[in-house]
Amino acid sequence: MGILNSMFAKWKNPQHGKGNVPDVQTIQTSSAATPTPSPQTTSAIQRYTELEAELTRSPQTLQTKPIRTPQKSGGFKQFGQRLIWIGVLLGIPVGIIYVVNLPYPVIRQPVSKVAPILLLPSNMAIDTNFKQGQSSVEQARQLIEVPTSAADLDRGEIKLKEGKTALDAIPLWYIADWADYSRGYYGWGYDWRFTPAGLQAARIKAGQLEAKVFQEKNAQIALTGAEQEITMAKTVFQQAAKPTDKKIAIQNWQAAIDRLAQIPPQTMAGRRAQQLIGTSTRDLKEVGGLAAGNEKSLSLISAAEGFAKKAAESGRNPPHPSARWNEIATMWQEAIKRLESIPANDVQGYAEAQRQLAEYRSNLSEVLVRLQNEQEAVQALDRANRNLADLWASLPKDGKELNRNQTMGRFLAIRTELDKVKSGTTVYLPAQEIKIQVQNQLRLLEQAK
């Protein structure tokens, strides 16, 4: 404020400061006797007053503006932009590594000579598949070559599939260019495990094991089928009531044993089959007994059953002529003849033969009765026809000369012959037709009396 007072003092006295007037007049603050200032001085004082008022203005009059908080949308936008840039910066090197590791020799060969370290991801994947394939194939070999049960084969097959999958994941083009891809790693101190020779050996071993698994499965199927047939043959033999059924069961039993001998002995199923051959053969001899040892009796019973079957088929749908009944009777006789030839020392076969003999002899008797009825019916019909023909020939032309009683007697004799024709014969129906005619004639003669 003192500086300002001095400045306004100079404005009041323009001569002040030139050195002519040494004394300085002070400004009177009193308002009692204030000389009238000039217009220029008055304006300066007003300006000074205004400035002093602005400087001394109360701070409460200052207007304050609220501080605006930053909007959140701008922060998220900046965060998104940062993520984009981070993705771009990371994607460029990842994309480059992806491209150089593509399975194209045109790309990989130059990279393997200049910067083989860039091919490390794909090479490590191939090396991992190679190691996994070798390990799985070795485990499969131990389980398949010396199995102790079917579970070992199943487990070995699973491990073999895993090994083949890992080995097949190694491309063929990589084997051809393996030297170019692996050369650059020796200077880096990387222990390279993959070799084309090792891969080829692993694949050959996997193929051999696969063939052995196939052989083992086929042998196991054959073994299971033979065991089931032997079990079924035993059951049929024990339940069979006829020697022929026992013979068929024995034949099936022996056929199953023969199939066991065809199973390769180097397989697990083959070793099991060799054991079953011995036990099944022993059981066959023990259980079969006389039925298994006496083939002659079984053959005779089988032949007798064949004749009996043929005779039964021929005797279906009667009536038959006498010649047909003769053939049927002959077949039953042949069947009986073979059963009668079975010796009594064959206890089982002899007992079965006696049982069938009773049935066959009964059937033969029925056939002989039918044969006799057929023969008698034919003879009776023939006599009736002859007598009827003679009667018609002897009748007078004039009815007055007819001897009714004698004629009726002759018709009655013809009817008696027709009554001898029994049902179930081939001439029964013709005999009934003639009989109706004779009855009609007898009725007419009775009415004429």
Side-chain angles (χ1 to χ4, degrees):
M1 294 299 292
I3 296 174
L4 294 175
N5 292 332
S6 62
M7 290 175 59
F8 285 106
K10 290 182 179 181
W11 289 341
K12 290 179 180 180
N13 188 8
Q15 301 298 324
H16 180 77
K18 292 184 180 180
N20 297 326
V21 181
D23 54 341
V24 177
Q25 297 180 359
T26 59
I27 300 174
Q28 299 291 329
T29 59
S30 174
S31 59
T34 302
T36 303
S38 63
Q40 184 177 2
T41 303
T42 303
S43 61
I45 292 174
Q46 292 177 354
R47 179 61 179 167
Y48 166 75
T49 304
E50 294 176 358
L51 290 174
E52 187 177 8
E54 290 180 1
L55 292 175
T56 58
R57 184 177 298 171
S58 176
Q60 284 78 6
T61 60
L62 297 177
Q63 296 181 357
T64 58
K65 297 182 179 180
I67 300 174
R68 297 181 179 179
T69 58
Q71 298 181 357
K72 294 183 179 181
S73 60
F76 282 112
K77 183 176 182 181
Q78 293 178 358
F79 180 72
Q81 292 177 353
R82 290 177 183 177
L83 287 180
I84 292 173
W85 280 107
I86 291 173
V88 172
L89 293 176
L90 293 177
I92 291 174
V94 171
I96 293 173
I97 294 175
Y98 173 78
V99 171
V100 299
N101 280 273
L102 290 174
Y104 300 111
V106 178
I107 300 175
R108 296 176 63 89
Q109 287 179 354
V111 176
S112 65
K113 296 177 181 178
V114 178
I117 194 66
L118 297 179
L119 301 177
L120 187 61
S122 58
N123 289 340
M124 287 179 64
I126 292 174
D127 196 25
T128 301
N129 288 329
F130 177 67
K131 294 175 183 177
Q132 182 180 357
Q134 282 187 323
S135 176
S136 298
V137 170
E138 178 60 23
Q139 294 179 22
R141 183 191 66 80
Q142 296 177 2
L143 292 171
I144 294 173
E145 289 186 350
V146 190
T148 58
S149 63
D152 290 346
L153 289 176
D154 296 337
R155 179 63 179 172
E157 186 179 9
I158 294 173
K159 300 302 294 184
L160 180 60
K161 289 180 179 179
E162 293 177 358
K164 283 178 61 65
T165 302
L167 294 176
D168 292 340
I170 301 175
L172 296 176
W173 57 263
Y174 186 82
I175 300 173
D177 299 333
W178 170 78
D180 294 335
Y181 300 151
S182 62
R183 187 181 298 112
Y185 287 99
Y186 293 126
W188 296 80
Y190 181 75
D191 185 12
W192 193 252
R193 303 292 180 86
F194 173 80
T195 59
L199 176 63
Q200 185 66 16
R203 284 180 172 173
I204 292 174
K205 189 62 181 177
Q208 294 174 352
L209 293 176
E210 190 174 13
K212 186 170 180 60
V213 169
F214 181 77
Q215 187 180 24
E216 288 283 354
K217 283 188 174 182
N218 288 339
Q220 189 66 37
I221 293 173
L223 175 64
T224 303
E227 287 180 338
Q228 292 177 353
E229 290 178 2
I230 290 175
T231 303
M232 185 178 297
K234 287 182 179 180
T235 304
V236 172
F237 181 84
Q238 294 172 356
Q239 296 178 355
K242 297 181 180 180
T244 52
D245 296 337
K246 293 182 180 294
K247 180 181 179 180
I248 294 174
I250 291 171
Q251 292 174 350
N252 295 335
W253 196 335
Q254 186 61 49
I257 294 175
D258 295 339
R259 277 191 285 275
L260 287 175
Q262 298 175 359
I263 299 175
Q266 67 272 15
T267 61
M268 182 182 67
R271 294 189 291 271
R272 171 63 178 164
Q274 296 301 319
Q275 298 175 358
L276 286 176
I277 289 174
T279 56
S280 298
T281 303
R282 184 185 66 248
D283 294 341
L284 179 60
K285 292 180 180 179
E286 293 178 355
V287 176
L290 293 175
N294 195 345
E295 293 291 335
K296 182 179 179 181
S297 298
L298 293 177
S299 299
L300 291 173
I301 293 175
S302 179
E305 289 179 347
F307 279 107
K309 182 179 180 181
K310 186 67 177 177
E313 291 177 354
S314 299
R316 292 174 182 172
N317 301 322
H320 300 300
S322 299
R324 181 75 172 270
W325 287 120
N326 277 324
E327 293 177 359
I328 296 171
T330 301
M331 286 186 285
W332 283 117
Q333 290 171 355
E334 290 292 334
I336 293 171
K337 180 180 179 180
R338 280 160 176 75
L339 292 177
E340 290 175 344
S341 62
I342 295 176
N345 58 358
D346 183 1
V347 179
Q348 213 170 20
Y350 184 78
E352 177 63 20
Q354 295 302 312
R355 186 187 67 80
Q356 291 187 2
L357 273 173
E359 180 182 354
Y360 292 175
R361 285 170 179 167
S362 175
N363 293 336
L364 177 61
S365 299
E366 183 179 354
V367 170
L368 293 176
V369 170
R370 285 179 174 271
L371 174 61
Q372 184 178 0
N373 291 338
E374 181 69 20
Q375 291 174 348
E376 292 177 354
V378 171
Q379 293 172 2
L381 182 62
D382 290 341
R383 289 193 299 268
N385 285 329
R386 287 196 301 267
N387 294 334
L388 185 60
D390 294 340
L391 177 59
W392 287 118
S394 63
L395 290 177
K397 295 180 180 180
D398 189 359
K400 296 179 180 181
E401 298 178 358
L402 178 66
N403 188 348
R404 291 183 177 83
N405 293 329
Q406 183 181 2
T407 303
M408 290 180 62
R410 295 181 67 179
F411 275 116
L412 289 174
I414 293 172
R415 190 179 66 177
T416 302
E417 291 293 335
L418 292 175
D419 289 339
K420 296 179 180 179
V421 179
K422 296 182 179 180
S423 62
T425 60
T426 57
V427 296
Y428 179 74
L429 293 179
Q432 294 301 314
E433 293 178 358
I434 297 173
K435 189 175 182 180
I436 292 173
Q437 295 178 5
V438 172
Q439 293 284 5
N440 291 333
Q441 294 297 326
L442 290 172
R443 189 179 301 108
L444 290 176
L445 290 173
E446 289 179 355
Q447 292 177 358
K449 289 184 178 180

